[in-house]
Amino acid sequence: QVQLVESGGGLVQPGGSLRLSCAASRIPFTFYAMGWYRQAPGNQRELVARISAGSNTNYADAVKGRFTISRDNAKNTVYLQMNSLKSEDTAVYYCNANFNNQNYWGQGTQVTVSS
């Protein structure tokens, strides 16, 4: 079955950086738009960043200028580089793959920003 496996989460101090990775398997990766979403306790899941099959990107206003999404089609992997992290970035981050009516989610990786 389709697998999206996230990695790279952890504990970081405010102002620090993390890079999340999401490795996809069993999908024609190049056709899929890939996204990163996050969900903090008590909040709804929200879009953080998205990259189309053609590598067009869009970002939530809260992360513009701090986060960068990229993809490596040769490795079937999407990345989220997160810089200047803030406490409000603390959440579980989920990878998403979407193409036509096919929509898949990873299991999530915890990001905690705290001193």
Side-chain angles (χ1 to χ4, degrees):
Q1 67 273 21
V2 174
Q3 281 191 315
L4 300 177
V5 180
E6 299 107 332
S7 61
L11 173 64
V12 63
Q13 292 187 342
S17 298
L18 283 175
R19 188 175 83 151
L20 305 183
S21 300
C22 171
S25 59
R26 299 186 180 91
I27 58 171
F29 184 78
T30 56
F31 288 93
Y32 277 72
M34 301 298 297
W36 287 96
Y37 291 71
R38 67 187 181 187
Q39 187 167 18
N43 290 357
Q44 290 187 337
R45 192 172 296 188
E46 61 178 6
L47 175 68
V48 175
R50 182 179 181 274
I51 185 166
S52 71
S55 294
N56 294 311
T57 59
N58 60 284
Y59 297 90
D61 287 344
V63 308
K64 282 181 182 176
R66 300 188 298 123
F67 291 10
T68 302
I69 189 170
S70 61
R71 65 190 297 157
D72 185 337
N73 289 339
K75 295 182 179 180
N76 285 6
T77 300
V78 63
Y79 303 97
L80 185 68
Q81 178 66 44
M82 305 186 293
N83 298 328
S84 302
L85 282 160
K86 305 175 181 180
S87 57
E88 51 262 45
D89 296 317
T90 295
V92 178
Y93 283 70
Y94 296 91
C95 178
N96 174 265
N98 180 268
F99 173 63
N100 283 349
N101 293 322
Q102 305 299 313
N103 195 49
Y104 302 102
W105 293 94
Q107 80 287 354
T109 185
Q110 176 70 45
V111 171
T112 302
V113 184
S114 175
S115 56

